[in-house]
Amino acid sequence: MPTLIRTNCPRDCYDACGILVEKKEGEPLRILGDPEHPVARGRLCSKCAVAYNGVWQDKQARLQHPLRRSGQKGDGAFERISWGEALAEIASKFQAVIDQHGAEAILHTHYSGTLSLLAHFFPNRFFTAIGASEVDPDTICNAAGHVAWHLLYGESGMGFDPRTAKDAASIFVWGANPSHSAPHIAEHWLEGAKANVVVIDPIQTDSAAAADLHVQPRPGSDAALAFGLLHELHAMDAFDQAYIENFTLGAEEVMSTIASCTPEWTAEQTGVPTSTLRQAAELYAAGPSMLWCGQGLQRQSMGGNVMRSVGLLPALTGNIGKPGTGFCYLNYTPAFAGIDLGELSGARLGTTENKAKAKSISHMDLATRLSDSTEFKAFIAWNTNPLASAPNQTALREAMRREDLFTVVLDCFPTDTTAFADIVLPAASFLEFDDITFGYFNLLLGAQTKVSEPLGESLPNQEIFRRIATAMSLEEPALFDDDISLITHMMNQWDPGFDFDELKTRGHVLLGDEPMPMYADGQFNTRSGKIEIASAKAEQMGLPRTPIPHADQAPVDGRIRLITPSSKWRLNDSHANDSHLQVQAGPATVWLSSIEAARCGVIEGQRVNVRNETGTIELTVGIDDTLPDATALSYKGRWPSIEETGVNVNFLHTPNKTDMGESTSVHGTEVYIEPI
Ligand SMILES: Nc1nc2c(c(=O)[nH]1)N[C@H]1C(S)=C(S)[C@@H](COP(=O)(O)OP(=O)(O)OC[C@H]3O[C@@H](n4cnc5c(=O)[nH]c(N)nc54)[C@H](O)[C@@H]3O)O[C@H]1N2
Ligand SMILES: Nc1nc2c(c(=O)[nH]1)N[C@H]1C(S)=C(S)[C@@H](COP(=O)(O)OP(=O)(O)OC[C@H]3O[C@@H](n4cnc5c(=O)[nH]c(N)nc54)[C@H](O)[C@@H]3O)O[C@H]1N2
Ligand code: SF4
Ligand SMILES: [Mo]
């Protein structure tokens, strides 16, 4: 008889599925969806069902021992060393950098390889305590949106509770593609909703195709679209004057702009027909209406302004604080449960002097800053594979070839980034240690349960950093808190009325029995306590005082917008090394409409050069006639080292910063497409 163990998927994914592991002596684990989990409902997504039973259990594919570089950086030639040797070398190199250049010359980059709380947050304690510099993680993903929601509502991590959809008449999905990035939410929550679904996306995603209405603006034109919708909503008398008066600040400053954004003007700016605009406005006006704003939406050069403009809809129509309303960017579920993530990450550690010297740099500057040998002397990447996911790949690779840059990389697998390390440290997988997981859409917390021993000599991230701290003879006690006390401490902060063992038995908990009301009290965490439509803070930051109806210019001179969003077959760049998923994903393809293909002089199946000022890559043409003019599509998540061409779309990803948050504008990338 197999043993059945409940655990949860800790990937950076909206779904946060429950997992059931079947364990039988002498046989591979069977990783299945938990039938009792409200999101998974007995099934994992098509990528994890394969990868968790494939590459994640392939011992040969995993890193099992610490390694020291034995060839040139990038070659991937390593010799096995002991943990003792690895830790001694890291400690002495870090100490030398600190003595000669200060701890701020140590730069770490990290993100969401795993979101389980200990493995994701605890290692930051080490870097904060010593005063190291950090690549601001959100600048590769969603920093523009965070700044925008903060300016408007004072929060970016408190969205609607998805359960409130039972009371909604319409659900707007703006610039997210749940059919890829949240597959269970797409299938059960969205497609099963009684509400009318409106998807706003330049691409006809499967979610858009299944929606009641697909609004297809040109990329980067959403702020104009939002103002055009507001014009229609105002004309329909759908503004909530009482709500505006009581809970918003500065609405009068946008009213004349809204009046000027006529349907005809909006159609010209966005490519959305006036009839579609009206239909969308009618559906939002019918209310109660929910608004889900994706992270793809703000990966445009004016992405912050886009979010601020779209965020006006709930405020001006009063679709907030009541059942079936609200907006969602992300939900910081552990914080709702009372878990202190600042404490877990050691935000309060380190001296004031160190803190003042430690730098926070944008991913958009990483390649150039790292290529300057005077600034950073050591580089540590953990929970991330920047040589697949970051912009400006050619320059970043060149910088990481620096012989004087001591580089340490932690991962479960050998990746493009580990190939550039001096020391590689093997990380245990989510099946190999206990932790707490969470959902950032549904208000879920779950147990990550240890199913098997760490493979080879691999260790969880948090243990690796405890050992580095020991090797450096650091004394801060918070660096040595063990997993059991950290988990117990978090359970105490949360206080659900049972302990971690019970959480393991239950698998997951959905916070609250009923939908949690967000902003029902009309209190907002802005300076004024109101929704700041006009913002003095924005002005101080050098931004417009109010959102503006901007639309990016359509590309000129034969250039094309290249959107590179979530692939159905990858989770960011995780699982790209699974051979079965490589077959499913097919060859690296750039999708174009037949009109656009003809204009470029290329046909379906042809190999083409896709190029811009940042790089050139070779792709195969696919035809998709649902794509708008001057827009191309290619999915993210491939490892250059696995591709025959040795490159991926991030060789084209120009590190242009968004208007807010110094974040990526990757979906604003422009390219030329030419026959080879
Ligand atoms: N072109 C393009 N590029 C993009 C994007 C895009 O839309 N288009 N999106 C961006 C976004 S949103 C993001 S978030 C980034 C994500 O980019 P990454 O952070 O690079 O991607 P992930 O796949 O989340 O995780 C990276 C690594 O973490 C490792 N990992 C998993 N579990 C553990 C663990 O427990 N310990 C350690 N040490 N490692 C572990 C995985 O094996 C994997 O190699 O990519 C960005 N890049
Ligand atoms: N399968 C899978 N799931 C994932 C990930 C993955 O890589 N693969 N990544 C995870 C991570 S880290 C993140 S951050 C999320 C991201 O997931 P999402 O929030 O869904 O973001 P993206 O996939 O980047 O893009 C979503 C949609 O935004 C659209 N878009 C691009 N530009 C514009 C625009 O100007 N206007 C409008 N209206 N839409 C636009 C794209 O066409 C795309 O369909 O997904 C998570 N889930
Ligand atoms: S990646 Fe997302 S959809 Fe797939 S199993 Fe994990 S949580 Fe579920
Ligand atoms: Mo992300």
Side-chain angles (χ1 to χ4, degrees):
M1 277 297 280
T3 320
L4 294 178
I5 303 167
R6 284 221 160 87
T7 185
N8 285 275
C9 179
R11 304 274 80 80
D12 184 349
C13 169
Y14 291 97
D15 284 6
C17 292
I19 292 178
L20 201 61
V21 181
E22 270 186 28
K23 191 178 176 184
K24 239 190 209 162
E25 195 56 39
E27 285 185 26
L29 303 169
R30 284 187 70 206
I31 316 287
L32 308 162
D34 181 350
E36 285 173 39
H37 191 273
V39 179
R41 302 195 195 179
R43 221 155 39 82
L44 298 181
C45 64
S46 44
K47 56 195 178 299
C48 291
V50 175
Y52 288 164
N53 293 293
V55 74
W56 284 81
Q57 288 194 61
D58 177 355
K59 295 187 173 68
Q60 302 312 315
R62 286 272 305 276
L63 287 167
Q64 297 201 37
H65 308 284
L67 303 171
R68 179 193 283 128
R69 178 165 68 91
S70 59
Q72 297 296 310
K73 291 201 174 187
D75 287 357
F78 292 97
E79 59 182 11
R80 180 175 162 181
I81 54 172
S82 68
W83 268 108
E85 287 171 282
L87 292 167
E89 182 162 342
I90 292 168
S92 80
K93 291 272 168 50
F94 281 6
Q95 199 55 58
V97 172
I98 293 171
D99 294 344
Q100 290 164 34
H101 309 280
E104 66 274 17
I106 299 176
L107 177 68
H108 77 118
T109 187
H110 61 107
Y111 212 26
S112 49
T114 181
L115 288 185
S116 71
L117 298 182
L118 296 181
H120 181 79
F121 289 105
F122 180 85
N124 291 300
R125 286 190 181 183
F126 168 80
F127 293 103
T128 315
I130 63 171
S133 298
E134 182 191 43
V135 184
D136 176 354
D138 285 345
T139 57
I140 194 62
C141 177
N142 56 20
H146 281 304
V147 176
W149 290 112
H150 269 272
L151 288 174
L152 199 56
Y153 289 91
E155 292 283 355
S156 61
M158 192 166 122
F160 56 63
D161 180 338
R163 286 171 294 187
T164 200
K166 67 180 169 61
D167 300 306
S170 75
I171 301 176
F172 274 53
V173 180
W174 202 321
N177 177 13
S179 58
H180 284 187
S181 59
H184 298 81
I185 290 167
E187 188 182 337
H188 305 303
W189 182 78
L190 199 58
E191 289 175 24
K194 67 170 174 46
N196 287 304
V197 173
V198 178
V199 170
I200 305 179
D201 198 308
I203 291 167
Q204 196 190 87
T205 61
D206 290 347
S207 289
D212 297 284
L213 181 68
H214 177 202
V215 181
Q216 205 171 7
R218 279 194 285 271
S221 69
D222 299 79
L225 181 62
F227 273 85
L229 272 174
L230 288 165
H231 180 100
E232 289 287 52
L233 286 162
H234 190 252
M236 290 168 191
D237 209 18
F239 277 26
D240 184 335
Q241 294 305 338
Y243 194 86
I244 293 172
E245 236 159 77
N246 290 327
F247 302 112
T248 73
L249 187 75
E252 64 289 353
E253 295 185 43
V254 291
M255 290 312 291
S256 64
T257 313
I258 290 171
S260 69
C261 295
T262 61
E264 294 70 29
W265 176 88
T266 308
E268 194 189 293
Q269 296 293 311
T270 65
V272 174
T274 53
S275 56
T276 310
L277 184 73
R278 173 142 276 252
Q279 262 179 294
E282 278 167 356
L283 288 171
Y284 196 79
S289 294
M290 295 168 73
L291 173 66
W292 175 6
C293 291
Q295 303 173 66
L297 176 60
Q298 45 87 65
R299 287 183 201 133
Q300 295 288 351
S301 53
M302 291 284 282
N305 178 65
V306 165
M307 278 296 186
R308 245 177 124 197
S309 305
V310 174
L312 293 175
L313 266 77
L316 293 174
T317 61
N319 268 296
I320 189 154
K322 295 176 284 233
T325 68
F327 66 87
C328 187
Y329 187 41
L330 297 171
N331 276 319
Y332 287 155
T333 308
F336 299 164
I339 295 174
D340 186 344
L341 297 177
E343 180 188 38
L344 183 60
S345 349
R348 297 179 276 281
L349 300 178
T351 63
T352 322
E353 196 198 344
N354 274 354
K355 277 203 162 102
K357 285 192 197 150
K359 299 168 191 171
S360 169
I361 75 166
S362 164
H363 261 284
M364 302 308 107
D365 295 325
L366 177 60
T368 38
R369 298 278 284 267
L370 213 53
S371 68
D372 168 4
S373 64
T374 60
E375 191 173 20
F376 299 114
K377 303 290 183 181
F379 184 53
I380 306 96
W382 58 280
N383 259 356
T384 182
N385 179 8
L387 288 184
S389 57
N392 211 1
Q393 283 292 324
T394 306
L396 185 56
R397 275 155 202 266
E398 210 37 56
M400 286 186 64
R401 283 208 175 83
R402 264 177 57 197
E403 273 301 324
D404 63 334
L405 183 72
F406 177 66
T407 303
V408 180
V409 180
L410 282 65
D411 206 296
C412 311
F413 298 99
T415 66
D416 287 59
T417 308
T418 61
F420 282 75
D422 292 290
I423 302 280
V424 177
L425 300 176
S429 91
F430 70 106
L431 297 167
E432 298 162 353
F433 59 98
D434 283 347
D435 207 333
I436 294 177
T437 61
F438 69 99
Y440 55 72
F441 190 70
N442 290 296
L443 310 184
L444 280 163
L445 288 166
Q448 176 176 300
T449 298
K450 178 173 172 175
V451 177
S452 49
E453 288 305 316
L455 186 65
E457 294 183 291
S458 66
L459 293 170
N461 292 344
Q462 61 275 23
E463 177 59 20
I464 294 177
F465 283 99
R466 282 192 284 258
R467 292 192 186 193
I468 296 175
T470 306
M472 290 178 70
S473 308
L474 299 180
E475 283 171 358
E476 168 57 54
L479 301 180
F480 304 100
D481 288 346
D482 62 42
D483 285 12
I484 297 171
S485 24
L486 289 163
I487 289 175
T488 308
H489 186 59
M490 288 192 282
M491 291 300 294
N492 289 340
Q493 288 177 330
W494 172 17
D495 197 16
F498 51 80
D499 64 6
F500 185 62
D501 283 337
E502 174 63 19
L503 182 63
K504 283 177 158 181
T505 309
R506 296 184 187 206
H508 68 273
V509 171
L510 212 48
L511 296 186
D513 297 327
E514 288 297 314
M516 300 217 331
M518 306 293 185
Y519 306 110
D521 59 1
Q523 296 292 311
F524 297 90
N525 199 19
T526 51
R527 277 186 204 164
S528 62
K530 296 189 172 194
I531 303 171
E532 296 197 347
I533 292 170
S535 163
K537 189 170 168 193
E539 251 181 338
Q540 282 160 10
M541 291 162 73
L543 296 165
R545 207 173 132 74
T546 64
I548 53 167
H550 166 89
D552 285 357
Q553 292 296 303
V556 292
D557 295 336
R559 284 202 299 262
I560 296 174
R561 279 293 187 113
L562 176 66
I563 296 183
T564 54
S566 303
S567 156
K568 181 179 178 181
W569 304 110
R570 306 276 150 79
L571 196 289
N572 292 328
D573 35 278
S574 297
H575 307 343
N577 53 346
D578 185 284
S579 55
H580 291 99
L581 289 179
Q582 285 162 14
V583 175
Q584 295 283 7
T589 300
V590 59
W591 303 92
L592 289 169
S593 69
S594 3
I595 296 173
E596 208 59 48
R599 203 182 54 69
C600 298
V602 301
I603 56 166
E604 187 160 26
Q606 187 174 350
R607 296 291 282 173
V608 291
N609 273 331
V610 182
R611 71 170 172 87
N612 64 12
E613 65 285 7
T614 305
T616 303
I617 70 172
E618 214 182 294
L619 295 170
T620 300
V621 174
I623 298 295
D624 175 355
D625 279 321
T626 66
L627 285 168
D629 285 353
T631 306
L633 165 68
S634 186
Y635 294 110
K636 70 166 159 175
R638 290 169 176 268
W639 292 7
S641 60
I642 295 179
E643 299 297 307
E644 255 172 48
T645 52
V647 292
N648 72 4
V649 290
N650 284 323
F651 281 74
L652 302 167
H653 181 173
T654 307
N656 287 337
K657 292 177 186 172
T658 44
D659 54 345
M660 301 176 195
E662 302 196 39
S663 200
T664 175
S665 59
V666 63
H667 297 329
T669 300
E670 290 188 1
V671 295
Y672 294 97
I673 298 181
E674 294 155 349
I676 292 180

